[in-house]
Amino acid sequence: MLPEIYKILSNPINVIVLGWLGIYLFFVFFVFFYKFFSLFIWIKKEEDALNSIIMSDVFPMNSSLYSCLEKSAKINKYTFDACIEGAKKKANKGLIFLGIVASTSPFIGLFGTVVGILSAFSSMQSVTTLNMIAPAIADALVATALGIIVAVPAYSFHQILSKKVEDLIIILKMQRDMYLSK
């Protein structure tokens, strides 16, 4: 197994491609867990604030809308909507990265595969058998596989976090509607 890894890493393009995809994979998981837990806490806080609005006429101070609205001279639907859009922008930070990784990592892996196959064909002598070229092509396909391995969690995590952001915005809009209806 170890000699095959050295063959894959013998090409500097493969080292760059595999390193790039490895960094992508690390940050995909980092962004996901960071955003997942921060959105989880934020949604819980906003649900508590919504329950406070339902139970009383006072807008709770623990709501992110409260901190935005206290800066405004006039509280109406438009100021609420502006605060909700600000919260949406903040909640979506990091999701663009996941979308970019999900869409680009297969292409980065494909690039590594193409370079690896070109390298395999350029190293062929005049008489070549399938047994000589097949391992080189198989090594080149590792980059494509890694690109897909990175893209699948990035896409899945993007979808999960997008749903969490959507849930948060729904709760904030419910807070707005409950407060303005009283």
Side-chain angles (χ1 to χ4, degrees):
M1 179 71 182
L2 203 54
E4 286 121 19
I5 292 174
Y6 287 129
K7 282 191 272 179
I8 294 169
L9 298 178
S10 65
N11 185 342
I13 297 295
N14 281 350
V15 172
I16 292 169
V17 166
L18 297 178
W20 191 347
L21 291 172
I23 291 168
Y24 261 7
L25 189 61
F26 172 79
F27 281 108
V28 161
F29 278 93
F30 177 80
V31 167
F32 173 71
F33 285 113
Y34 176 78
K35 288 300 290 184
F36 183 83
F37 289 114
S38 63
L39 284 171
F40 178 81
I41 292 167
W42 192 359
I43 289 170
K44 178 74 174 124
K45 183 179 81 168
E46 297 304 336
E47 286 173 342
D48 292 343
L50 178 61
N51 289 333
S52 295
I53 294 171
I54 291 170
M55 297 298 176
S56 68
D57 289 337
V58 180
F59 203 86
M61 294 174 59
N62 64 337
S63 171
S64 58
L65 289 180
Y66 178 83
S67 59
C68 178
L69 291 171
E70 72 180 352
K71 300 171 192 167
S72 177
K74 188 175 183 183
I75 297 177
N76 57 28
K77 184 180 183 319
Y78 302 110
T79 55
F80 266 107
D81 288 345
C83 291
I84 290 171
E85 286 301 313
K88 184 177 183 180
K89 182 179 176 184
K90 181 180 174 184
N92 275 317
K93 279 189 180 173
L95 270 65
I96 293 170
F97 172 76
L98 293 176
I100 290 170
V101 170
S103 62
T104 60
S105 59
F107 295 113
I108 295 167
L110 184 60
F111 174 72
T113 298
V114 169
V115 169
I117 289 174
L118 288 174
S119 174
F121 283 130
S122 69
S123 67
M124 286 186 346
Q125 286 93 20
S126 59
V127 179
T128 305
T129 65
L130 185 59
N131 292 339
M132 295 171 74
I133 196 71
I137 292 174
D139 291 342
L141 290 173
V142 168
T144 297
L146 188 59
I148 293 168
I149 287 171
V150 172
V152 169
Y155 180 77
S156 301
F157 294 164
H158 181 273
Q159 295 300 313
I160 291 167
L161 293 175
S162 294
K163 178 65 176 127
K164 287 276 187 201
V165 170
E166 187 180 310
D167 292 346
L168 173 69
I169 299 307
I170 289 170
I171 293 168
L172 293 175
K173 287 180 179 179
M174 290 170 64
Q175 286 181 18
R176 175 200 62 202
D177 294 343
M178 287 301 297
Y179 183 76
L180 291 176
S181 70
K182 292 189 176 208

